[in-house]
Amino acid sequence: MVSYENKLILAPMVRIGTLPMRLLALRYGADLVYTEELIDWKFLRSKRKVNETLNTVDYVDQTDGTIVFRTCDEEKGKVILQLGTCSAERALKVAKLVENDVAAIDINMGCPKEFSIKGGMGVALLAQPDKAHNILTTLVNNVSIPVTCKIRILETPEETLKVVEKLVSSGIKAIAIHGRTRDERPQHPVHPDVIKYVADRISIPVIANGGSKEIEKHHDIYKFKEMSGCTSVMLARAAEWNCSIFRKEGLLPMDTVIKEYLKLAVDYDNAPSNTKYCVQNILRDLQETPRGRQFLDCQTLEQMCAIWDLGEYCKEKQSNYQKSGIQGRWQVSPHDLEPPQKRIKSTDTDIVGVIQMKVCFIRANFNDLNMPKAKLHAWVAKNGHRLPTYETQQVEKLFRTIITFNDKKYTSSFWEKNKKFAEQGAALVCMFHLGLVTEDDLVKFGSIIK
């Protein structure tokens, strides 16, 4: 069972706490790592799959094939799933689904974002302590792993303690307390004295959170720990900016941290958009430098990695993954969704006689003047042909377009996430067979992986 005494912990952070960042934190010295907040209904539309290429366990969204949660052996016993929920019933279904893959379940009762509050989740649960207590009790009584929650302080120490005592009575093993109120933000001072007031009066471990503004080096963590009277400290922004804050030996240079993070992102086939977001949060003000602006123009993992001399590593790794038949977004089709989708009749027969390539369209690699569809139409008009026609099929959240031009049909076997992208991807296939783009062009656009 997880111990929450004397621990340094990576806090749950939306879009930051994915597998590469969690592993980096552990390698730098974190004892426990929280996932980003994951919403219950996203889990409930996912399916657990063992990814033999990556040696991971993946929870795959069955409407579009995206990864909801990915974990691996290196973090086993140390990764804690933070769940966004307002329903004891849904929370329990998720907990039973994942209890063999995570070390513990944490219920988010501290997020002050509008999305959470409108959904009755996050800090909204603190205004309904009976409901919050019921969610925790339901989990404690029915799962084999520890259950915790993360909250924010209320307006007074006494109010905070009263709610905490109610939550603790559910049987949770620890509670994380962010030392700001619902309406306070990072620019406001943290209140370690309120955390200490609670920690001194309850019997389970309290994890102090919210001190990143005062934490610039490893030693500062222990100052915050002492001020809050807690045995454990949870870091969010300080770790987001430089994950090596967990190193006893001291901070590493930013470029070293980025390079080690990118290598993990490649190794675990992390989504390029998520990888870019995490690196942006490391760069911070340096996004305005020439190299930072070069990075902001990147859309593929290979493009990002090239800036830190990992381009060839990324290219080779991705190529090997493709050859091994990696389970990922590139492989998703309606037949991979479960249950198998039947919404489009004759999906297979419609593709007979159609020229196919596996080509995806990455919008940021094109500007408004060189969009594939527009370039194709300009060439067609210039050469006196009739404009091509487009037929788009949709299954769940996946789209595929078939272009008909000069009595031939073209499509990409890559299913896109919207109709416009599907049309552009099909246009690239048509252009390739007309000799208007080369394979090297498509690799440069990130549209194919060799």
Side-chain angles (χ1 to χ4, degrees):
M1 299 289 277
V2 178
S3 167
Y4 293 91
E5 299 278 359
N6 296 308
K7 296 293 188 289
L8 297 185
I9 303 170
L10 179 71
M13 292 177 282
V14 173
R15 299 181 68 189
I16 297 293
T18 45
L19 181 59
M21 191 63 78
R22 299 196 306 265
L23 292 180
L24 193 63
L26 288 172
R27 292 180 184 184
Y28 285 153
D31 299 299
L32 299 172
V33 289
Y34 280 56
T35 69
E36 59 179 332
E37 179 195 22
L38 296 168
I39 308 303
D40 53 14
W41 55 263
K42 284 190 176 182
F43 256 109
L44 294 178
R45 72 184 188 198
S46 72
K47 183 182 176 84
R48 182 186 189 274
K49 295 185 178 181
V50 175
N51 189 324
E52 294 180 352
T53 302
L54 298 178
N55 293 316
T56 59
V57 171
D58 298 346
Y59 286 81
V60 184
D61 188 324
Q62 293 304 289
T63 65
D64 62 9
T66 54
I67 304 298
V68 176
F69 172 58
R70 170 170 284 163
T71 186
C72 66
D73 282 346
E74 186 175 342
E75 65 175 3
K76 196 167 184 66
K78 299 174 183 176
V79 61
I80 295 164
L81 171 66
Q82 191 185 63
L83 189 62
T85 188
C86 63
S87 163
E89 180 184 4
R90 289 199 303 272
L92 181 57
K93 285 181 180 178
V94 174
K96 297 305 289 183
L97 188 66
V98 303
E99 68 178 324
N100 293 323
D101 294 318
V102 298
I105 301 282
D106 181 80
I107 301 301
N108 184 350
M109 298 184 182
C111 181
K113 299 294 178 66
E114 186 178 3
F115 168 81
S116 287
I117 293 173
K118 281 188 173 180
M121 302 179 292
V123 75
L125 286 171
L126 294 183
Q128 304 179 71
D130 289 337
K131 185 175 186 178
H133 181 271
N134 181 49
I135 292 172
L136 295 174
T137 302
T138 300
L139 294 179
V140 168
N141 291 341
N142 291 283
V143 297
S144 60
I145 55 178
V147 177
T148 63
C149 66
K150 182 173 183 289
I151 71 165
R152 283 184 166 243
I153 63 172
L154 280 75
E155 293 302 321
T156 69
E158 292 78 14
E159 287 180 77
T160 307
L161 178 62
K162 182 178 179 181
V163 170
V164 168
E165 287 176 335
K166 173 84 171 179
L167 301 177
V168 169
S169 70
S170 67
I172 56 175
K173 298 299 183 184
I175 187 166
I177 303 179
H178 183 110
R180 293 183 180 86
T181 67
R182 168 177 173 156
D183 297 324
E184 291 177 329
R185 295 297 178 264
Q187 66 268 25
H188 295 109
V190 69
H191 305 284
D193 55 314
V194 180
I195 302 176
K196 187 175 189 306
Y197 179 87
V198 174
D200 287 345
R201 288 164 174 80
I202 65 171
S203 59
I204 65 172
V206 173
I207 304 164
N209 178 226
S212 287
K213 194 173 181 181
E214 290 78 29
I215 296 173
E216 296 181 356
K217 52 187 180 297
H218 188 80
H219 181 70
D220 294 336
I221 300 172
Y222 298 97
K223 293 181 183 177
F224 182 63
K225 176 180 176 181
E226 184 177 350
M227 290 169 61
S228 61
C230 294
T231 63
S232 297
V233 174
M234 174 182 280
L235 298 181
R237 286 175 301 129
E240 174 185 324
W241 297 332
N242 189 329
C243 199
S244 68
I245 192 73
F246 289 109
R247 293 180 80 246
K248 294 177 181 178
E249 301 85 354
L251 290 171
L252 292 170
M254 179 196 70
D255 283 324
T256 301
V257 174
I258 291 176
K259 195 166 184 175
E260 292 182 352
Y261 169 77
L262 284 173
K263 190 171 183 297
L264 282 166
V266 172
D267 290 346
Y268 287 97
D269 196 38
N270 200 50
S273 59
N274 178 255
T275 301
K276 184 175 182 178
Y277 180 80
C278 290
V279 175
Q280 282 180 269
N281 280 278
I282 300 172
L283 287 171
R284 299 169 71 195
D285 294 343
L286 294 178
Q287 292 178 72
E288 300 304 317
T289 64
R291 185 175 63 163
R293 288 193 291 272
Q294 179 189 358
F295 170 76
L296 292 177
D297 288 336
C298 296
Q299 291 299 315
T300 67
L301 275 179
E302 186 179 339
Q303 290 168 348
M304 297 175 216
C305 286
I307 297 175
W308 282 274
D309 301 320
L310 287 170
E312 286 303 312
Y313 177 82
C314 178
K315 185 176 181 179
E316 182 179 350
K317 200 81 171 181
Q318 290 191 325
S319 178
N320 290 338
Y321 284 164
Q322 292 299 313
K323 290 171 185 174
S324 67
I326 189 173
Q327 300 173 27
R329 182 68 184 85
W330 274 86
Q331 283 65 44
V332 173
S333 76
H335 300 289
D336 299 312
L337 306 181
E338 296 196 16
Q341 303 299 309
K342 305 294 186 182
R343 185 172 299 176
I344 293 180
K345 296 179 180 178
S346 306
T347 298
D348 292 326
T349 57
D350 287 347
I351 214 74
V352 173
V354 179
I355 297 169
Q356 299 183 64
M357 288 179 68
K358 183 165 261 187
V359 171
C360 76
F361 171 71
I362 299 178
R363 174 64 179 89
N365 287 340
F366 298 87
N367 60 48
D368 292 339
L369 300 177
N370 74 343
M371 297 289 275
K373 188 176 175 182
K375 290 187 72 173
L376 174 62
H377 286 200
W379 181 88
V380 166
K382 182 179 179 180
N383 288 276
H385 299 289
R386 294 177 61 184
L387 286 175
T389 59
Y390 297 79
E391 176 194 356
T392 299
Q393 303 170 326
Q394 179 182 356
V395 181
E396 290 290 347
K397 296 181 181 179
L398 301 175
F399 296 80
R400 178 178 65 187
T401 294
I402 298 173
I403 286 181
T404 302
F405 175 66
N406 280 354
D407 299 323
K408 290 186 177 180
K409 295 179 182 291
Y410 305 88
T411 192
S412 172
S413 56
F414 180 85
W415 287 74
E416 295 279 5
K417 296 176 87 170
N418 64 57
K419 179 182 177 182
K420 290 182 178 179
F421 281 25
E423 290 179 347
Q424 299 289 355
L428 283 170
V429 176
C430 183
M431 290 172 68
F432 174 81
H433 286 280
L434 293 173
L436 304 180
V437 295
T438 66
E439 185 175 290
D440 286 343
D441 291 329
L442 294 175
V443 171
K444 179 182 175 183
F445 298 150
S447 296
I448 64 173
I449 297 177
K450 290 182 68 176

